[in-house]
Amino acid sequence: MFKIGALEKLIHELNRLPGVGPKTAQRLAYHILRTPDYSDKLQTALQQVQDSVHLCAQCFSYTDEPNLCRYCTDSHRRGDLLCVVEEPADIMRVESSGVFRGKYHVLHGAISPLDNIGPQDLRIKELMERVDAGLEGRSLSESGEPAPKIIEVILALDPDLEGDTTVLYLAKALADKQVKITRIASGVPIGSDIDYVDDRTLGRALENRVEL
Ligand SMILES: [Zn+2]
């Protein structure tokens, strides 16, 4: 017999997920209760994610590989093209557009003075370090292998106030380095919570990126 309190707690937790309203949370909770084994499988999956997923030491996307993620270690991807995104989920969107075969760097947000988020709260220092190491032929890894020289940094950030502020900041910070800085064609949101842009639109925005 389930206590009503336990069910309400589950609904409350599901309701906290982005995009899940109270009604959907209820539907999901009853579905979990009704479906044999589902609760166990969900628990296992959540535990595994908790135990094994961490940030890639180089691009800061999520990975369950020991150190670097599969994008960073993929030798078939161009090491001289770097696509900068706000969130790890944005990588999936760029990937499904199918037009980008370089490496990534995740900022984990965008500059937002209103929310007290400044450059120091994002992975901007690490981005500069990657660009600098490549230009100087220095190594960033334990292997001692020199970091690849980056010739272009593509800013695939959202076309909102925070995205624009971050683009301006990065363009200025990268201006004195021997690297081309581009931004994906304007007006195309790539944020994971904005799902109405289809893959082809994002693909075109990447192909028609503009130099800053
Ligand atoms: Zn990585």
Side-chain angles (χ1 to χ4, degrees):
M1 198 56 190
F2 291 99
K3 277 191 295 177
I4 202 73
L7 181 56
E8 276 165 350
K9 212 169 180 179
L10 177 60
I11 294 170
H12 172 74
E13 290 305 326
L14 292 168
N15 190 202
R16 288 174 57 197
L17 293 167
V20 177
K23 278 189 182 157
T24 306
Q26 262 178 36
R27 248 200 334 265
L28 292 172
Y30 282 110
H31 178 81
I32 292 167
L33 279 180
R34 264 201 313 266
T35 315
D37 292 350
Y38 189 82
S39 176
D40 284 346
K41 283 182 180 148
L42 188 62
Q43 275 186 58
T44 309
L46 288 172
Q47 195 57 53
Q48 279 174 351
V49 161
Q50 199 70 26
D51 292 344
S52 63
V53 176
H54 59 96
L55 293 181
C56 167
Q58 181 165 270
C59 73
F60 302 100
S61 65
Y62 290 122
T63 183
D64 50 12
E65 305 290 331
N67 184 29
L68 299 181
C69 72
R70 62 192 167 95
Y71 301 114
C72 284
T73 50
D74 184 350
S75 58
H76 297 295
R77 305 185 74 100
R78 286 182 61 172
D80 58 351
L81 292 182
L82 196 59
C83 181
V84 178
V85 294
E86 290 182 19
E87 301 297 339
D90 296 337
I91 292 180
M92 303 283 185
R93 292 208 56 91
V94 175
E95 282 297 294
S96 41
S97 79
V99 303
F100 182 71
R101 293 292 294 162
K103 304 277 171 121
Y104 290 99
H105 191 91
V106 185
L107 296 177
H108 287 270
I111 297 172
S112 175
L114 282 176
D115 301 310
N116 271 321
I117 300 171
Q120 71 285 352
D121 300 310
L122 307 170
R123 299 287 183 175
I124 289 180
K125 191 164 62 84
E126 291 87 346
L127 170 65
M128 295 303 154
E129 184 62 11
R130 275 179 89 174
V131 173
D132 285 340
L135 289 171
E136 294 159 15
R138 266 192 292 124
S139 173
L140 279 177
S141 62
E142 287 165 8
S143 70
E145 233 175 272
K149 185 170 187 272
I150 293 158
I151 58 166
E152 182 180 349
V153 175
I154 302 162
L155 304 174
L157 307 181
D158 283 346
D160 52 18
L161 182 62
E162 293 79 20
D164 290 347
T165 310
T166 312
V167 164
L168 284 177
Y169 180 90
L170 290 176
K172 212 172 150 193
L174 291 163
D176 62 339
K177 306 192 191 295
Q178 293 287 314
V179 61
K180 188 168 155 187
I181 312 154
T182 56
R183 183 179 192 180
I184 60 167
S186 61
V188 176
I190 79 152
S192 46
D193 47 346
I194 308 162
D195 281 336
Y196 55 79
V197 188
D198 62 52
D199 297 339
R200 219 184 312 154
T201 310
L202 182 56
R204 267 201 304 271
L206 271 161
E207 275 164 352
N208 299 329
R209 57 191 185 266
V210 283
E211 193 163 351
L212 298 172

